[in-house]
Amino acid sequence: MTILVTGAAGFIGFHVCQALLAQGRAVLGVDNLNDYYDPALKDARLQHLIHQPGFRFERLEIADTAAVAALVSPSSGITEIIHLAAQAGVRYSLQNPHAYIAANIQGQINLLEAARHLPGLKHFVYASSSSVYGHAEKSPFSVQDRTDTPLSLYAATKKADELFHYTYAHLYRVPATGLRFFTVYGPWGRPDMAAFLFTKAILAGEPIRLFNRGDMRRDFTFIDDIVAGVLAALDRPPQDAGVKPPHQIYNLGNNHPEKLTDFVALLEEALGRKAILDLQPMQPGDVYETAADITESRRDLGFEPVTPLAVGLPKFVRWYREFYGV
């Protein structure tokens, strides 16, 4: 009984693997270790995993149909899948759209096609994003809201992934749960996200760019809370009642959107330095606010985020200083 975790050397994937291994579960980690951001950070995460009992790693490109089919074969022993590999980033999708089609569309289909042939597959958990809400007319965002106005190609690919899973749940009864993540941060985070970018700039005495002149709100969610939600979802596959496809979608967010300027102020306090602000207009593909309604995830998964920004950001800063020696 093996759990396949794609994106195992990524930010969320690394932490999910750590948590699964701590529970004594067997994990097959997959990652292509690409250079979207510094591969050395991905390798450092991987080094923390590869010597742990129960962990096996395969370097693999999920857009490679033949490679995925060979790995996720009926004889592989894979009983559960946590699919976190993706081409991430809203702004980068404006620059390199083909990367998103390859990873987030072709890769998703490759895994679904392989998964439907797995004997006894218990659950396929996959990452979606709060970006799918696009031009949401109300806040907080509910899983009952329409999500047909994506503002970026990244968001469009994540919405497509949800539709693919619904279809496979309907046609082939592949039990699946989609998790819409809301602005995840924490130790070992991604260098293209706010906590990392701002910390690096503040320590270097360089300006940080605040879009919409800093007038933005985000539902910043600490990594430990996200991991708790992922594992809770994994252990609660949707039931196949024969009529409704076994497919569910949940929000995983902090349920408490914060002003971007308050986020910066907390970072300044944790770092003991003032930020130089470069106030920019709103960027194409961005949204003003993200806010998670977690009614369903609280009810069905017992999901309850417990880490406020004032606690989580200092933890990130401590990791950053230690890892980079600054």
Side-chain angles (χ1 to χ4, degrees), residues 10 68 115 151 168 201 254 274 295 315 324:
V68 171
L151 301 185
Y168 272 68
N254 197 39
K274 294 294 289 183
T295 300
K315 289 184 177 181
Y324 288 102

Side-chain angles (χ1 to χ4, degrees), residues 274-297:
K274 294 294 289 183
I276 303 169
L277 304 184
D278 176 13
L279 302 180
Q280 295 280 329
M282 183 70 94
Q283 292 292 290
D286 268 353
V287 296
Y288 168 70
E289 177 178 276
T290 63
D293 180 340
I294 59 171
T295 300
E296 290 80 6
S297 49

Side-chain angles (χ1 to χ4, degrees), residues 25-217:
R25 306 199 197 189
V27 176
L28 170 57
V30 164
D31 204 293
N32 67 356
L33 300 174
N34 69 17
D35 61 357
Y36 169 62
Y37 60 81
D38 186 5
L41 178 58
K42 299 179 182 181
D43 186 64
R45 296 187 190 121
L46 188 57
Q47 293 307 311
H48 279 264
L49 296 172
I50 56 175
H51 300 299
Q52 295 189 44
F55 183 78
R56 180 165 66 92
F57 179 73
E58 293 283 346
R59 184 167 184 171
L60 181 143
E61 173 57 68
I62 61 169
D64 184 334
T65 304
V68 171
L71 183 73
V72 190
S73 67
S75 62
S76 65
I78 294 169
T79 54
E80 294 158 293
I81 296 173
I82 302 177
H83 176 39
L84 302 171
Q87 178 56 62
V90 168
R91 297 185 189 102
Y92 186 61
S93 68
L94 302 176
Q95 304 169 31
N96 188 4
H98 296 289
Y100 291 77
I101 300 304
N104 301 0
I105 301 297
Q106 184 64 55
Q108 199 89 14
I109 288 295
N110 286 345
L111 282 160
L112 275 166
E113 270 296 295
R116 76 181 181 92
H117 296 293
L118 287 176
L121 177 68
K122 297 177 180 179
H123 201 184
F124 192 138
V125 176
Y126 66 97
S128 187
S129 168
S130 62
S131 296
V132 302
Y133 288 106
H135 270 309
E137 296 180 356
K138 67 177 184 63
S139 181
F141 305 157
S142 166
V143 293
Q144 309 302 326
D145 295 342
R146 293 183 63 173
T147 52
D148 53 5
T149 56
L151 301 185
S152 66
L153 181 65
Y154 168 69
T157 61
K158 285 300 182 179
K159 177 59 181 178
D161 291 343
E162 294 180 358
L163 297 175
F164 295 156
H165 275 274
Y166 182 91
T167 301
Y168 272 68
H170 168 70
L171 292 175
Y172 308 115
R173 318 314 291 183
V174 175
T177 295
L179 302 174
R180 292 173 178 169
F181 298 141
F182 282 70
T183 317
V184 188
Y185 75 99
W188 296 97
R190 279 194 1 233
D192 62 328
M193 297 190 73
F196 212 111
L197 288 169
F198 293 177
T199 296
K200 181 179 180 181
I202 292 171
L203 288 174
E206 298 172 350
I208 61 174
R209 292 190 298 170
L210 299 186
F211 295 105
N212 203 36
R213 302 187 63 81
D215 183 19
M216 300 181 78
R217 295 168 62 91

